[in-house]
Amino acid sequence: MLENRQFLDSAKKDAVWGRGITPPQVSIDKCIGCGQCVKDCPALVLELRDKKMQVVYGEGCIACGHCWAVCPEGAVVQQEVETDTSLKPGPGPAVTADALQLLIRERRSVRLFKDKPVSKDQLIRIIDAGRYAPTGSNRQDVNYVVVSNHQKVAELRSLVEGFMENSFKLMQNSAIAFFYGMKFGRSIVYSLRHYAMWYDFLKNKKDKHAYGPLPYGSAVIIAHGQSFDSVAPFNCSVALYNCSLMAHSLGLGACFLGFVQAGANMDKKIKHWLGIPKEHQSYGAMVVGHPDVKYHRLIERREPEIKWI
Ligand SMILES: Cc1cc2nc3c(=O)[nH]c(=O)nc-3n(C[C@H](O)[C@H](O)[C@H](O)COP(=O)(O)O)c2cc1C
């Protein structure tokens, strides 16, 4: 058992991540004491006392809204999570497993785009799909930069191309490559070395719209979060993957962009241009546009390595 009062108090403060979370409240008259909210609360905020729900550890609340959503009587109030849409979960999942499997397999990395802008409404819809993705401790800490106009996307492309050419040169110096590996991870050093030759070939190609670090789409979405936060990379990836599925569902195409992400982290000029705070890192980037390509067949993937325990 933890005995240190000071430690407990500071842990309680940390638990709300400085987000000013208001714990749920219960309407005593409506509560029938079924205990569903108590059982489902992941943060052990609630207890059943005298057959009524009571908040016993409000500081631990992560505002996930499970208590509000699970209560059959509508007795729980938690303003932060209440939604005013008429959308309600159906008796079963909204899509069948077969439909979802098909959607997942239909989504491809689209690199050929029409010269047609993606509307702001569509971009907001796409980001909304990221917004409803899960985050560790419900921190909801995924931040987005949207580059949504043609000229700005072109500016970003030329910045990233500059970053790549410069990095390719630097990677030829093994001391610098070692330093980069220590600072940014060995895999990006391998990628930069690997792509150096390919990039040289690409530069002389006439039509390079589909290739390069940033295909010629209409918008770029970059997800960023706190550096050195062990869950931020996962939170951003999950959110951005949701975004890619929504883009596909809207009849748009998307492709993740490893080099834009790397440039946003490794090149101060790009990070500054994007307005990503110093203490943040980019954990994913994606180009979006109207596809100028249609896939007639689904592809197969390798069998996954699974260890069953
Ligand atoms: C983290 C990540 C980074 C990626 N970076 C790029 C990129 O910089 N350029 C690109 O053309 N494709 C990029 N891709 C797309 C992959 O090449 C693609 O997902 C893979 O080849 C499978 O094809 P599919 O997405 O069409 O099924 C990236 C994918 C991921 C997940």
Side-chain angles (χ1 to χ4, degrees), residues 107-111 210-215 255-261 285 295 299 301:
R107 181 225 56 87
R108 303 305 314 276
S109 293
V110 173
R111 302 177 179 89
Y211 307 103
L214 206 172
C255 182
F256 296 114
L257 304 170
F259 286 115
V260 173
Q261 180 190 342
Y295 299 107
I299 51 104
R301 298 264 207 235

Side-chain angles (χ1 to χ4, degrees), residues 123 145-149 152-154 156 218-222 273-274:
L123 289 168
V145 178
V146 183
V147 185
S148 61
N149 101 23
K152 288 287 175 193
V153 173
L156 178 61
S218 313
V220 177
I221 301 175
I222 291 134
W273 189 90
L274 289 167

Side-chain angles (χ1 to χ4, degrees), residues 95-107 298 300:
V95 289
T96 63
D98 285 346
L100 180 61
Q101 176 78 349
L102 185 59
L103 182 88
I104 289 169
R105 291 188 64 181
E106 276 176 355
R107 181 225 56 87
L298 300 175
E300 203 40 83

Side-chain angles (χ1 to χ4, degrees), residues 109-114 207 209-210 215-216 290-293 295:
S109 293
V110 173
R111 302 177 179 89
L112 287 165
F113 296 101
K114 291 184 180 139
D207 186 8
H209 277 208
Y216 282 56
H290 291 270
D292 199 12
V293 57
Y295 299 107

Side-chain angles (χ1 to χ4, degrees), residues 164 168 190-201 259:
M164 288 181 78
F168 292 155
Y190 291 138
S191 294
L192 285 168
R193 284 189 156 164
H194 173 80
Y195 280 106
M197 261 169 52
W198 171 77
Y199 195 70
D200 228 30
F201 159 77
F259 286 115

